[in-house]
């Protein structure tokens, strides 16, 4: 079964493919599906991940997964968005 990955990061693809492959899933990056990246203007990692997964699913017709590890700006002494 094919699943869209709302990312073009080769490292993320390799990491997640290793987890999904034994379950019979083949991850395809959004770039390989001709899907552009979507803006991530929301305030939480969860909201941004959901936005990316929904965008990839809508444009591919596949189920999609995403994550958003983000950069914790507070740790760096910068106000969060």
């Amino acid at each position: 079964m094919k699943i869209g990955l709302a990312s073009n990061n080769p490292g993320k693809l390799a990491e997640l493919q290793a987890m999904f492959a034994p379950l019979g899933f083949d991850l395809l990056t959004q770039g390989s599906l001709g899907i552009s990246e979507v803006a991530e203007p929301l305030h939480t990692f969860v909201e941004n991940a959901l936005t990316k997964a929904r965008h990839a699913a809508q444009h591919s017709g596949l189920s999609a997964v995403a994550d958003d590890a983000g950069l914790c700006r507070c740790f760096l002494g910068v106000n969060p968005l």
Side-chain angles (χ1 to χ4, degrees):
M1 179 178 186
K2 295 180 186 212
I3 297 179
L5 173 61
S7 175
N8 291 312
N9 181 318
K12 191 171 291 185
L13 174 63
E15 179 182 352
L16 292 174
Q17 187 65 43
M19 291 190 299
F20 280 84
L23 302 173
F25 295 106
D26 183 29
L27 292 177
L28 304 170
T29 63
Q30 64 188 15
S32 72
L33 296 168
I35 300 169
S36 63
E37 293 186 9
V38 67
E40 301 177 44
L42 302 168
H43 297 289
T44 69
F45 298 155
V46 171
E47 290 173 312
N48 284 323
L50 283 171
T51 297
K52 292 189 293 188
R54 288 174 177 153
H55 175 78
Q58 179 182 21
H59 291 281
S60 69
L62 300 172
S63 296
V65 296
D67 79 314
D68 189 51
L71 177 62
C72 293
R73 295 170 48 156
C74 292
F75 178 76
L76 299 173
V78 178
N79 291 331
L81 298 175

